[in-house]
Amino acid sequence: MPRPLMRPPRPRPFILLLLLCLLLLASCAPAQPVSDTDALQALVAQGARYVTQKDSRGLTLMSSAACGSPSYLFDLDRLEKLWATYAVRVDIESVQVMEIGADKAKVDVTQTLKKVSGPDFQDIRARHIYSFVKENGAWKLCANDVAESQRLR
């Protein structure tokens, strides 16, 4: 007579629950702290993505309301006018933290602004000095000053 096939033993529910809990605990482990330099570099890269994606809300959220920088608001107004006509791409060429303190930092950024679509446009390479302030433990953009600018092509 043939032998009946035996099923492998089913895992016990408490073992599955234990494995799930271990997985959840591992994913909730505290993240490694991010250095101020890394945070500033990431913020510069995020700003470039926001400009490329025409995301004025993102740019506003990464900016400090406490600075009350009219020049930054003017830049945002100019960007929105640019976005109405063009699709552009910002590429970061270099980021160098110049000064960093407990709650203020200056970052030297060289980037290009290139047309993706729209009427005739002059691509540029510019060197910006970004000023940041720390609010509630997070860096926020306070000012953007163009140090140099040159046309490409």
Side-chain angles (χ1 to χ4, degrees):
M1 195 175 243
R3 291 171 77 182
L5 294 175
M6 296 200 52
R7 287 189 196 176
R10 288 179 34 176
R12 309 254 178 193
F14 72 89
I15 292 175
L16 291 174
L17 184 60
L18 178 63
L19 289 173
L20 181 60
C21 287
L22 289 173
L23 180 64
L24 288 173
L25 285 174
S27 67
C28 293
Q32 294 294 326
V34 175
S35 74
D36 284 333
T37 299
D38 289 344
L40 290 164
Q41 290 173 338
L43 199 55
V44 167
Q46 185 63 52
R49 283 190 293 276
Y50 286 150
V51 172
T52 299
Q53 296 167 355
K54 299 183 178 186
D55 187 348
S56 59
R57 184 177 183 279
L59 287 169
T60 301
L61 290 174
M62 68 179 271
S63 303
S64 171
C67 291
S69 172
S71 67
Y72 180 70
L73 295 175
F74 175 70
D75 285 347
L76 190 54
D77 186 49
R78 284 183 24 201
L79 271 175
E80 288 176 342
K81 288 177 183 171
L82 177 78
W83 292 336
T85 307
Y86 300 98
V88 296
R89 184 182 79 235
V90 176
D91 293 312
I92 303 296
E93 292 184 351
S94 68
V95 178
Q96 182 177 0
V97 176
M98 300 167 53
E99 301 171 18
I100 194 162
D103 60 352
K104 290 185 180 179
K106 285 194 184 266
V107 179
D108 186 329
V109 178
T110 300
Q111 62 191 36
T112 58
L113 178 70
K114 295 182 178 179
K115 177 185 88 165
V116 174
S117 66
D120 196 28
F121 179 85
Q122 184 64 56
D123 295 343
I124 60 169
R125 173 178 289 114
R127 196 174 128 243
H128 296 258
I129 306 299
Y130 289 114
S131 297
F132 293 91
V133 294
K134 198 178 254 190
E135 294 178 355
N136 300 320
W139 289 104
K140 299 283 188 167
L141 181 62
C142 190
N144 170 13
D145 298 309
V146 178
E148 296 175 37
S149 181
Q150 70 185 53
R151 293 180 179 184
L152 299 177
R153 290 188 222 164

